[in-house]
Amino acid sequence: MAALVAGVLLPLPLAACGDSDSQDSEAGAGLGSAEAAGDVRATERARVASGGTLRWAVDAAPSTFNVFQPDSTEATKRVAAATLPTLFTLDKHGRPQADEDFLRGAEVTETEPRQTVVYKLNPKARWSDGRRLGAADFRAQWKALRGKNNAYWTARNAGYDRIRKVTEGEGADEVKVVFGKPYADWRSLFTPLYPKQAMSSPKVFNDGVRTSLPAVAGPFRVVKADKDRSRTVLKRNHRWWGERAKLDRIVLTAVPRDKVAKALAKGKVDVADVGAATAERIGSANGLGGPQRPDAAKGAKNAQEARKREAELREARKRKARERFGASAARQLGKYEVRRALDPAYTQLTLNGASGPLADERVRRAVARAIDRDELAEKALAGTGLPDDPLGSHLRMVNQDGYRDNSGAFGSADLDSAQSLLADAGWKTGGLGGAGADKSAQDAHAQDRAEDRSKERGKEHDKEKEKRADGGPAEPPGAAGSPDAGGRAPHRAEAEASVVRLSAAQIARVVDRPLSLSVSATAQRGSILAQAAHSSLASARQAGSERKLSRAKAALETAEKVRATARELRLLAGDPASAVRSKDGKPLALRFVLPGGKGSAQLRETGKRIARMLTEIGVRTQIKEVPGDSYFKDHIATGEYDLALYSWPATAFPATEARPIFAKPQPASDGSLLVEQNYARVGTDRIDQLFEQAAGELDEGRRRALMEKADRRIWAVAGSLPLYQRPQLVAAKRDLANVGAFGFTGPVYEDMGYRKG
């Protein structure tokens, strides 16, 4: 595995973002209002009390204090950020900013004959042993990480391998770094910066820094780690030259994800990442309802009566929470609030193109085209209070500087196109199920086509309204559904749908009864309602009316329920499995591997939705749940799967750190395939060239353009399908300041503490 992780951190399953409880529409209860970019209850230092201990839950104890080793954990990064120099931090949009506690400045001073970067260090910066930060530390870290000595067990050497030499500058506080090859992401280097003693030999690097740090240079220092590493204690560093840390201590406590809710209910930790179900529990304990609950003050005669009603409702919710969780647990949970942000990580579907049906790019593209990413994102983020748009980039997050939706290079969900691609690849319907099965698939296809085109027309109508509002040209009515726009008139698609009569027992299984006992009538009704709702949404946004917007959203929800009913009616009318596609007598069946365990419930729900979507184009999925601890080692890394769901961390330096994920696999000397982190095992020479050019392009505009081109080509090969940016939900004690859902930003450890009064 060490050979596979060069470049970025190992990907984490979505299980790392959920808990063992079910997720429902009340999942966002108790979430504070905040931007998706972060919510830490920012508080001025003057209003933060001095002293106190912060008990911080982490998934696993730090197995090492060296972040450059393959087995470093999230806890390792927290220790490093609190105790070691961070030359560049990230702002809320993922842009690197020089940390003035360590740098007076850093810039490229020469590009010819070679790129040269000069770091001007803060003269006050000192290690805890009294020595000044200097060129010797930079040089030792470069030599350890440049990849020339295999005795160093390094997880990555990107960037360090491009450095030619490191020397002292004009004074002791200057460090000059000369690159052999241009390197655009030079700001990613030497963060964190370790003391030279930690990098002096492979023995110290590999083993010595696992249990202790020879020197620190941050607001905190490591004073204790339990023998079982379950608790790591950081104490205020009195040699720190910056703003004095408000907290006395930070205790990192290992708490498995499925134990977090219990730890909070017992008051054993002060801050912890939580899943949506635990967030709902915290909201209930505080007397808060879900975002879709009716307003208690509605119809109140005056403000006083409204406040009274709200107070009564809050107390009723608290009583219900006490009954549900127990008085003690509810009282403890009521001491927390949930802070939220979009996590700098995204969930994606990987399509293994090494062998089997997915080795054909047409099949991969068909599978991807059959998946409604809008629906998956909406379901996964329901109730979190965070934006639920699907992610449109492999290289940048929605709230990241430079984000652009490049999914248009691949196309939106389109069952017509998916069916055509599969047919073109030789996968036909009817081979296993007979003519009746083929007819069933055609009927389902026609209904989906009508629904999808109606949905597209609604979106185009929204765009048309926005263009008119902005003074831009309006698209001619009906253009979106015209043959010139790539579609047919909607009534033709709807006319193709056959009427399917249902039995009384089947009708009883449908929650929302249709106006007619036919699939086509129900689908048509849903399409009409959706069109009207999209039109109302556009008008409400243009008018800026919250009331109209609320009504329009409710109308859209009703339309989606009707369309869901149509889909259920279609499934009830015939067995979709009978329409599975086949080729040379073999069914189109894909192995869909998902992680087991309580913490991966949300991921498995997403997987099941994807499986249902694929049945609509005749693709059968064989879902296999495997133990979480063997998910990557025994399945993803070895290629024992066709489809898989997991998450990738985002990066502020995609030209370098995202490259291994999408690099074209290369044959190794032993005949195996070197995939780095490209577990889809598909790539192109052109994608590799674009990453290489971007890594050496110092002009930000040109580098960004190269990354845009690379992203569009990654979409085109259809090896990875980004679904949504993960939610980051953090339970924190109410009086905790400058702690919570950080998003891209790094914690400012010296400002953390408890609010006064």
Side-chain angles (χ1 to χ4, degrees):
M1 290 298 289
L4 294 170
V5 296
V8 294
L9 298 176
L10 275 173
L12 300 172
L14 188 60
C17 190
D19 59 23
S20 58
D21 300 305
S22 62
Q23 312 223 357
D24 53 36
S25 61
E26 297 179 33
L31 297 177
S33 60
E35 294 183 6
D39 179 9
V40 298
R41 290 296 182 269
T43 307
E44 295 178 1
R45 283 179 56 84
R47 297 176 56 195
V48 180
S50 294
T53 297
L54 172 62
R55 299 169 299 171
W56 199 333
V58 292
D59 291 344
S63 56
T64 176
F65 292 145
N66 187 344
V67 300
F68 297 109
Q69 289 186 331
D71 58 346
S72 68
T73 64
E74 185 65 27
T76 303
K77 292 198 297 181
R78 295 203 190 284
V79 171
T83 63
L84 295 171
T86 301
L87 303 189
F88 286 89
T89 59
L90 301 180
D91 68 9
K92 64 181 181 179
H93 297 298
R95 294 172 296 209
Q97 311 286 327
D99 189 328
E100 295 180 356
D101 284 323
F102 302 103
L103 288 177
R104 289 183 295 128
E107 60 181 346
V108 176
T109 58
E110 296 179 45
T111 56
E112 295 293 341
R114 301 187 185 282
Q115 176 186 348
T116 301
V117 177
V118 174
Y119 297 86
K120 297 181 179 179
L121 302 177
N122 185 337
K124 296 180 180 179
R126 278 172 169 66
W127 296 104
S128 53
D129 60 8
R131 184 175 58 84
R132 298 172 71 165
L133 273 66
D137 303 300
F138 282 70
R139 189 181 303 111
Q141 187 152 316
W142 161 53
K143 289 185 176 181
L145 300 178
R146 62 182 172 175
K148 288 190 175 182
N149 187 345
N150 292 332
Y152 285 93
W153 299 340
T154 61
R156 54 192 168 105
N157 53 37
Y160 293 98
D161 57 353
R162 295 195 177 210
I163 295 175
R164 184 169 183 170
K165 62 179 179 178
V166 176
T167 62
E168 189 174 295
E170 295 182 359
D173 298 327
E174 283 194 6
V175 179
K176 182 184 291 187
V177 177
V178 179
F179 289 83
K181 293 175 64 177
Y183 188 58
D185 292 334
W186 58 270
R187 292 178 182 84
S188 67
L189 304 176
F190 305 108
T191 292
L193 178 67
Y194 281 80
K196 64 180 182 180
Q197 306 96 295
M199 303 279 167
S200 60
S201 70
K203 183 177 180 180
V204 176
F205 183 95
N206 299 337
D207 299 317
V209 190
R210 284 190 172 275
T211 57
S212 63
L213 291 171
V216 298
F220 287 87
R221 58 190 176 90
V222 180
V223 294
K224 181 182 179 183
D226 289 352
K227 288 184 179 180
D228 61 358
R229 307 302 292 272
S230 62
R231 293 172 71 253
T232 302
V233 180
L234 308 179
K235 194 172 182 180
R236 185 189 292 126
N237 179 14
H238 294 289
R239 290 182 175 270
W240 170 245
W241 59 93
E243 294 279 6
R244 183 175 184 269
K246 290 290 186 177
L247 290 167
D248 289 327
R249 298 191 310 166
I250 297 175
V251 180
L252 301 178
T253 305
V255 182
R257 283 281 174 160
D258 57 352
K259 305 292 184 184
V260 167
K262 185 178 292 185
L264 292 169
K266 292 184 177 181
K268 291 186 175 181
V269 294
D270 302 310
V271 60
D273 289 349
V274 298
T278 300
E280 185 271 334
R281 294 183 186 183
I282 293 171
S284 297
N286 283 289
L288 303 176
Q292 297 180 6
R293 294 284 185 87
D295 184 0
K298 189 174 181 180
K301 296 179 181 179
N302 52 49
Q304 184 176 359
E305 183 179 347
R307 287 194 296 271
K308 182 180 178 182
R309 289 188 183 183
E310 181 59 42
E312 291 173 349
L313 183 57
R314 188 181 292 258
E315 287 303 315
R317 290 169 178 158
K318 288 182 178 180
R319 284 196 299 273
K320 187 175 180 180
R322 288 193 292 270
E323 294 171 1
R324 182 179 174 188
F325 312 128
S328 177
R331 184 168 55 254
Q332 284 293 345
L333 290 174
K335 297 178 181 180
Y336 298 90
E337 64 182 4
V338 179
R339 300 169 187 178
R340 63 183 177 185
L342 285 174
D343 197 33
Y346 67 100
T347 295
Q348 53 85 59
L349 176 71
T350 295
L351 298 86
N352 185 357
S355 62
L358 294 179
D360 189 330
E361 184 177 302
R362 293 169 296 182
V363 179
R364 295 199 304 274
R365 291 175 65 85
V367 167
R369 286 279 182 102
I371 294 172
D372 188 338
R373 298 189 307 119
D374 290 273
E375 179 182 334
L376 295 179
E378 181 182 345
K379 296 292 186 182
L381 296 167
T384 63
L386 294 166
D388 60 3
D389 296 322
L391 185 66
S393 172
H394 296 81
L395 304 178
R396 296 184 190 276
M397 301 298 97
V398 172
N399 54 323
Q400 189 173 1
D401 184 46
Y403 171 79
R404 185 174 180 178
D405 189 339
N406 291 312
S407 60
F410 173 78
S412 58
D414 183 351
L415 296 183
D416 255 345
S417 176
Q419 298 276 20
S420 297
L421 285 164
L422 289 177
D424 187 50
W427 295 95
K428 309 294 185 181
T429 57
L432 297 177
D438 194 51
K439 180 64 168 61
S440 175
Q442 290 175 359
D443 292 343
H445 180 201
Q447 292 295 339
D448 283 332
R449 186 168 55 213
E451 290 183 14
D452 286 341
R453 284 179 179 151
S454 174
K455 190 172 183 180
E456 288 301 316
R457 288 197 302 276
K459 292 181 178 179
E460 291 297 326
H461 188 69
D462 288 353
K463 292 178 181 177
E464 183 182 332
K465 286 264 189 180
E466 291 172 3
K467 286 180 180 178
R468 284 202 294 267
D470 294 337
E475 192 171 316
S482 68
D484 292 338
R488 290 184 300 176
H491 65 273
R492 290 184 61 187
E494 290 162 358
E496 293 174 4
S498 62
V499 175
V500 181
R501 299 297 175 181
L502 305 176
S503 68
Q506 288 176 327
I507 295 171
R509 288 173 57 191
V510 181
V511 177
D512 187 1
R513 302 288 177 87
L515 294 177
S516 170
L517 304 185
S518 70
V519 176
S520 58
T522 309
Q524 187 175 18
R525 176 189 174 215
S527 297
I528 293 171
L529 290 174
Q531 264 188 292
H534 280 295
S535 178
S536 299
L537 273 173
S539 299
R541 289 179 180 135
Q542 185 176 348
S545 169
E546 290 294 331
R547 186 176 182 181
K548 288 182 179 179
L549 189 62
S550 178
R551 288 179 177 177
K553 287 181 177 178
L556 187 59
E557 287 180 7
T558 300
E560 290 302 322
K561 288 180 181 178
V562 175
R563 297 175 77 172
T565 297
R567 290 193 291 270
E568 188 173 355
L569 285 168
R570 187 160 57 247
L571 292 174
L572 291 170
D575 179 13
S578 65
V580 65
R581 289 178 176 269
S582 63
K583 183 178 181 180
D584 299 329
K586 296 181 179 180
L588 180 47
L590 302 176
R591 300 166 298 169
F592 199 167
V593 179
L594 295 170
K598 295 180 179 179
S600 302
Q602 177 64 68
L603 202 65
R604 291 194 297 275
E605 283 301 312
T606 298
K608 290 175 183 177
R609 291 189 180 100
I610 290 173
R612 288 195 292 269
M613 292 173 182
L614 294 181
T615 63
E616 301 291 339
I617 61 169
V619 177
R620 177 179 294 168
T621 52
Q622 301 168 336
I623 293 180
K624 180 181 180 181
E625 294 182 17
V626 301
D629 56 358
S630 68
Y631 186 56
F632 274 93
K633 181 178 64 174
D634 297 332
H635 297 276
I636 308 305
T638 60
E640 292 297 318
Y641 74 98
D642 292 313
L643 301 174
L645 282 172
Y646 52 88
S647 293
W648 280 119
T651 172
F653 309 101
T656 302
E657 296 184 345
R659 185 206 62 81
I661 302 174
F662 306 108
K664 182 180 177 180
Q666 300 295 328
S669 57
D670 61 357
S672 63
L673 197 64
L674 179 61
V675 302
E676 297 192 58
Q677 289 177 289
N678 185 352
Y679 302 126
R681 293 161 172 81
V682 294
T684 68
D685 292 332
R686 182 55 179 154
I687 291 174
D688 291 352
Q689 291 168 5
L690 289 168
F691 271 106
E692 180 64 22
Q693 292 173 25
E697 179 54 69
L698 299 181
D699 181 86
E700 184 176 350
R702 288 195 291 268
R703 183 169 67 253
R704 185 170 293 180
L706 289 167
M707 285 288 89
E708 296 291 338
K709 290 180 181 179
D711 188 33
R712 288 193 289 270
R713 289 179 179 270
I714 294 168
W715 276 102
V717 298
S720 169
L721 189 67
L723 301 178
Y724 49 84
Q725 196 168 341
R726 299 189 332 187
Q728 187 181 80
L729 307 177
V730 179
K733 287 287 183 67
R734 289 184 167 279
D735 56 347
L736 264 177
N738 303 315
V739 181
F742 295 99
F744 270 103
T745 60
V748 182
Y749 286 88
E750 59 267 37
D751 290 350
M752 293 179 180
Y754 295 89
R755 289 192 292 269
K756 293 179 178 179

